[in-house]
Amino acid sequence: MNNPLIIDAHLHIGKVNNFFSSGYSTEELVNSMDRLGISKGCVSSMYAIGPDASKGNQEIVEAVRKYPDRLVGMLCVNPSYKEEVEEQINIHMASGCFQQFKLHPFLHGTDSHHENYEPVYVYAQEHRASILIHTWGERDVSVFSEVASKFREAIFIVGHAGGDIKGIQRAVMEAKKHDNIVLDITSTWNYDGAIEFMVNQVGADRVIFGSDAVFNSQSAALGRVLYSRLTDNEKEKVLGLNMKRILSLRKGAISLKGEH
């Protein structure tokens, strides 16, 4: 490979409890991207996936405005506050700072089929937007698949590709059924051969690189792909070309600058 496009599809800013982090600010995240040759990152706020979506989403607005060529905002909503869900969509999705959604049902004590997530799915369906949803285990993936089958024009990214080994196997099975499902390789550990398994089963076009920084090391996550047994062509797709394509599908999406 010669200077491949790398897009980290799964990033956060903000402090994290009980995890080692080399930094939690926007500047530290971009510095890490610079060191590793990562062109762009799709980012959500720790506040937003947790207790305060409004505050966290505003953090992302500020981050993207500061680094418009490097960061792509992911809008978060909390289904516990029904009125706020539509309000956040209406305020932010036309601002140019957000091109995707990030949902974390686990932190909100629910599942991805919660009725108050519906406005997100409807928007994504109408605008061909992508939604990254945290999953961990077979049940999360099963519920996730039900939603993806209902909203066929939206693009559903399985966060952590299901997480544990049974979750990964289930995520692969569901991705084979639904061509609007994409697998995100982020993980706090690495099953040997997991990336190769995903690519062999669903194709290199539907597997994407992500690190989950600030939770995890970007360099370690990148190494999982670079030192995998994928071909150079497959690595290039996973590292950035697939995410570039996904972002470009959104109707009204802002063009990415400095792409390969």
Side-chain angles (χ1 to χ4, degrees), residues 152-181:
R152 300 292 303 160
E153 294 302 311
I155 300 151
F156 288 86
I157 301 173
V158 187
H160 313 289
D164 62 25
I165 193 66
K166 290 186 177 180
I168 291 171
Q169 291 170 336
R170 183 59 181 263
V172 164
M173 183 177 73
E174 298 301 334
K176 287 182 176 181
K177 296 178 186 176
H178 308 297
D179 60 10
N180 62 332
I181 287 181

Side-chain angles (χ1 to χ4, degrees), residues 118-241:
E118 186 94 353
V120 170
Y121 302 142
V122 170
Y123 182 98
Q125 171 89 348
E126 293 176 350
H127 294 84
R128 288 288 281 155
S130 55
I131 312 163
L132 171 59
I133 306 181
H134 172 90
T135 65
W136 204 271
E138 281 188 277
R139 185 180 183 281
D140 284 357
V141 176
S142 177
V143 175
F144 182 111
S145 181
E146 292 175 19
V147 178
S149 66
K150 181 178 178 182
F151 296 92
R152 300 292 303 160
E153 294 302 311
I155 300 151
F156 288 86
I157 301 173
V158 187
H160 313 289
D164 62 25
I165 193 66
K166 290 186 177 180
I168 291 171
Q169 291 170 336
R170 183 59 181 263
V172 164
M173 183 177 73
E174 298 301 334
K176 287 182 176 181
K177 296 178 186 176
H178 308 297
D179 60 10
N180 62 332
I181 287 181
V182 176
L183 306 180
D184 151 20
I185 69 166
T186 59
S187 182
T188 48
W189 59 75
N190 180 29
Y191 295 104
D192 184 34
I195 298 174
E196 292 89 340
F197 171 68
M198 295 178 209
V199 169
N200 288 338
Q201 292 295 310
V202 305
D205 292 328
R206 289 202 285 143
V207 180
I208 59 174
F209 162 69
S211 68
D212 208 11
V214 295
F215 282 102
N216 298 330
S217 162
Q218 276 194 305
S219 58
L222 189 57
R224 290 182 64 204
V225 181
L226 294 176
Y227 293 100
S228 70
R229 292 177 288 275
L230 301 180
T231 67
D232 282 355
N233 182 57
E234 290 169 337
K235 289 176 183 178
E236 288 178 349
K237 289 181 177 182
V238 172
L239 286 171
L241 295 180

Side-chain angles (χ1 to χ4, degrees), residues 42-45 48-49 53-61 64 72-78 84-95 97-104 108 117 119-120 123 130-133 250:
C42 303
V43 62
S44 63
S45 161
I49 65 172
S54 179
K55 178 176 180 176
N57 289 332
Q58 187 57 41
E59 282 188 333
I60 297 301
V61 168
V64 173
V72 176
M74 292 194 286
L75 187 79
C76 301
V77 299
N78 187 334
E84 187 183 88
V85 173
E86 291 194 17
E87 178 184 69
Q88 288 298 298
I89 294 172
N90 291 336
I91 289 173
H92 290 299
M93 287 308 289
S95 70
C97 294
F98 297 88
Q99 295 193 44
Q100 305 172 261
F101 293 94
K102 168 64 187 290
L103 304 182
H104 206 305
H108 295 142
Y117 283 137
V120 170
Y123 182 98
S130 55
I131 312 163
L132 171 59
I133 306 181
R250 185 193 158 199

Side-chain angles (χ1 to χ4, degrees), residues 28-39:
E28 287 165 319
L29 184 61
V30 173
N31 287 340
S32 174
M33 292 166 60
D34 288 342
R35 289 194 300 271
L36 296 170
I38 298 173
S39 298

Side-chain angles (χ1 to χ4, degrees), residues 9-22:
H10 192 149
L11 293 173
H12 304 284
I13 56 172
K15 292 185 177 181
V16 182
N17 291 328
N18 301 319
F19 274 82
F20 169 78
S21 174
S22 58

